[in-house]
Amino acid sequence: MAVVVGFIPTEVGFKALAAAREEAEQRGGPLVVVNVLRAGVEEDPRHADEQQLEIARDELRRTTVRVAFRQETTEDDIADVLLQVVEEERAELLVLGVRRQNDLARHLLGLTVQKLLLSSPSDVLVV
């Protein structure tokens, strides 16, 4: 069964990528790496450029499972795009990286993560 990871090119995003790789290998993979671009917001730091995607590919070169990269663009909700990919791939696990910048952030999750936790048809691993 597939593992989907919502990837952003940050330290947290690369930790989520590593966790997703381990889960995909344990489950017999494939691993689907998804970076969602917001239409009209080109300078968003969550958008992975070609160099950042190549670094992610390098991190996954030694994996034993098939890896697919998808860059999706949306004008709507990022969570909806990830949920659609989970359904299309029939994924059994969705992996997300969450920033914990301060004590308050440890107790509260962003709206995207909350929606994914509540709506995902698969299990969700938060890193």
Side-chain angles (χ1 to χ4, degrees):
M1 290 288 239
V3 173
V4 171
V5 59
F7 175 70
I8 56 174
T10 64
E11 182 179 343
V12 170
F14 280 98
K15 286 180 182 179
L17 187 67
R21 184 197 73 236
E22 289 178 25
E23 288 291 333
E25 289 173 348
Q26 288 176 4
R27 297 163 190 263
L31 173 59
V32 181
V33 181
V34 183
N35 179 243
V36 182
L37 309 174
R38 283 192 183 271
V41 189
E42 284 72 29
E43 297 303 316
D44 191 328
R46 295 171 291 193
H47 295 182
D49 63 26
E50 195 54 45
Q51 181 181 7
Q52 293 162 326
L53 289 174
E54 191 57 38
I55 292 168
R57 284 184 189 96
D58 285 344
E59 294 285 322
L60 299 172
R61 289 220 196 277
R62 293 189 206 127
T63 188
T64 57
V65 298
R66 181 179 57 85
V67 178
F69 279 81
R70 292 176 62 167
Q71 230 174 3
E72 304 287 336
T73 303
T74 185
E75 293 180 3
D76 298 318
D77 193 351
I78 290 173
D80 288 338
V81 174
L82 289 170
L83 290 170
Q84 181 179 349
V85 173
V86 166
E87 288 182 20
E88 287 173 5
E89 298 291 338
R90 296 186 186 136
E92 69 176 348
L93 182 67
L94 172 61
V95 180
L96 305 169
V98 177
R99 299 181 299 252
R100 294 178 197 94
Q101 296 176 343
N102 59 40
D103 288 338
L104 181 60
R106 291 179 189 161
H107 301 289
L108 301 174
L109 298 172
L111 292 176
T112 299
V113 174
Q114 285 181 15
K115 182 174 183 175
L116 290 166
L117 285 170
L118 295 172
S119 302
S120 180
S122 69
D123 291 339
V124 180
L125 172 63
V126 178
V127 179

